Amino acid sequence: MKLKKLRKIYRVLFPIKFSPCQIFINNLKVNNHIKSFEKEGKLYTFILQNNQKIYCRDQNHSDYSVFNQVFSFEEYSTVSSVLNLNKEFDFKESVLIDAGANVGFATIYLSQKKIFDKIFCIEPSKSNFEILKKNVSSLDTTINLTLLENALSAKENESFYIENHFRDGKDWSLTTTQRENGEVKGITINEIIKKHQLEEITLLKIDIEGAERFIFDESENLAFLDKTKVIVVEIHDEFNIRQDIYQVLKNNNFLLIESGELTIAINKKLYRF
């Protein structure tokens, strides 16, 4: 009896310390959205409850945090409901542009909720892009999928440098800075529309760590707004740009909805009442 009490006291005074890796694995074990997982080399492979296969890097990266945002907390559920409950949007081919695609979790989630004919994933980080390619490889082969290793730009023919000093500095917080000899080429939404002859964009998702302040600058070419039905954007308040972006969207006939960290904008001109 005394020995048991001593053990309890010892555990209180000297609790078991788990390594970051052990904590990570324990979190995977208790996540109800993950049916099973295993480690393959430097990657973890998750099998979700719907048998979707997902690739995720370890605890040293932000992938699992993004996974929880998208699949566990379902931060894109409201925008998916907007699209699915309003079939008036479905008059032409359905197009998703995922700008700031990271490792592809939002693309996968949204494509599970709605059928898209064409998907464009834009991601400037080479390391993120490699995981993105693996993750979206399991999508329906009938989808016309285009992966663009670029930075979303407001102007044509710009180059960018990737920096990791924003927020926690991890993979989901990488930012792009315009540089004349930058390592990453920029691409505009208008260029994608023109090159791929898109009549309309069903959903434009933008999560580009503050660079949205350039995309929605009223002095730039905002022609893409006339062809975009729904926008979902994470506005980063570190740059004090929220009200400016709201005003640009309102000036272009968008109805605004706030959903958690996201702003959903619905083009009133393209909604067939």
Side-chain angles (χ1 to χ4, degrees), residues 23-53:
I23 294 172
F24 181 76
I25 291 173
N26 287 339
N27 286 335
L28 300 186
K29 288 179 179 178
V30 299
N31 191 312
N32 294 330
H33 296 273
I34 301 173
K35 186 194 299 188
S36 64
F37 66 90
E38 60 181 17
K39 192 171 183 180
E40 296 180 1
K42 296 181 179 181
L43 287 179
Y44 285 85
T45 303
F46 301 167
I47 303 298
L48 306 188
Q49 296 298 338
N50 63 357
N51 293 318
Q52 175 76 48
K53 192 175 188 180

Side-chain angles (χ1 to χ4, degrees), residues 192-209:
I192 295 173
I193 290 171
K194 182 178 179 180
K195 181 177 180 180
H196 297 275
Q197 300 180 323
L198 302 180
E199 292 187 59
E200 291 180 349
I201 300 168
T202 309
L203 177 60
L204 171 60
K205 172 255 178 186
I206 299 179
D207 186 0
I208 51 177
E209 306 309 309

Side-chain angles (χ1 to χ4, degrees), residues 13-242:
L13 295 175
F14 304 99
I16 298 172
K17 293 184 179 180
F18 293 101
S19 70
C21 180
Q22 289 171 317
I23 294 172
F24 181 76
I25 291 173
N26 287 339
N27 286 335
L28 300 186
K29 288 179 179 178
V30 299
N31 191 312
N32 294 330
H33 296 273
I34 301 173
K35 186 194 299 188
S36 64
F37 66 90
E38 60 181 17
K39 192 171 183 180
E40 296 180 1
K42 296 181 179 181
L43 287 179
Y44 285 85
T45 303
F46 301 167
I47 303 298
L48 306 188
Q49 296 298 338
N50 63 357
N51 293 318
Q52 175 76 48
K53 192 175 188 180
I54 294 284
Y55 293 95
C56 179
R57 288 170 293 191
D58 64 18
Q59 69 279 354
N60 296 313
H61 299 267
S62 58
D63 296 1
Y64 185 62
S65 296
V66 179
F67 175 88
N68 277 325
Q69 276 190 330
V70 174
F71 292 101
S72 299
F73 308 140
E74 294 197 85
E75 69 172 354
Y76 292 101
S77 62
T78 301
V79 71
S80 65
S81 293
V82 167
L83 293 175
N84 285 312
L85 292 175
N86 297 279
K87 298 302 181 182
E88 292 81 358
F89 285 119
D90 294 333
F91 277 85
K92 299 179 181 178
E93 67 179 5
S94 187
V95 177
L96 166 65
I97 296 181
D98 184 351
N102 195 261
V103 295
F105 293 153
T107 293
I108 291 170
Y109 177 88
L110 290 166
S111 65
Q112 288 176 348
K113 300 296 181 179
K114 179 174 177 59
I115 297 173
F116 291 98
D117 300 304
K118 294 181 179 179
I119 295 178
F120 299 84
C121 294
I122 308 168
E123 173 56 43
S125 164
K126 180 173 282 297
S127 57
N128 287 347
F129 193 80
E130 292 304 311
I131 310 301
L132 167 66
K133 286 194 294 186
K134 291 179 70 67
N135 275 324
V136 299
S137 64
S138 62
L139 290 179
D140 191 331
T141 55
T142 62
I143 298 173
N144 188 333
L145 180 65
T146 302
L147 304 183
L148 301 165
E149 192 176 347
N150 299 100
L152 188 66
S153 176
K155 294 183 175 66
E156 295 185 13
N157 302 314
E158 287 193 328
S159 298
F160 295 83
Y161 178 76
I162 295 178
E163 297 180 344
N164 61 353
H165 57 70
F166 185 56
R167 291 189 173 178
D168 63 4
K170 290 189 176 181
D171 314 276
W172 61 350
S173 299
L174 298 177
T175 60
T176 55
T177 302
Q178 196 275 323
R179 295 280 179 85
E180 186 175 343
N181 297 312
E183 60 194 27
V184 179
K185 298 298 181 184
I187 190 168
T188 70
I189 301 168
N190 292 322
E191 284 180 292
I192 295 173
I193 290 171
K194 182 178 179 180
K195 181 177 180 180
H196 297 275
Q197 300 180 323
L198 302 180
E199 292 187 59
E200 291 180 349
I201 300 168
T202 309
L203 177 60
L204 171 60
K205 172 255 178 186
I206 299 179
D207 186 0
I208 51 177
E209 306 309 309
E212 66 273 8
R213 66 191 187 277
F214 304 117
I215 306 304
F216 293 104
D217 189 322
E218 61 182 356
S219 66
E220 301 294 349
N221 183 355
L222 298 173
F224 68 90
L225 292 178
D226 288 332
K227 291 181 175 290
T228 305
K229 295 177 179 178
V230 180
I231 297 170
V232 57
V233 54
E234 181 173 344
I235 299 174
H236 295 78
D237 289 316
E238 291 91 337
F239 301 95
N240 194 28
I241 53 177
R242 181 172 296 274

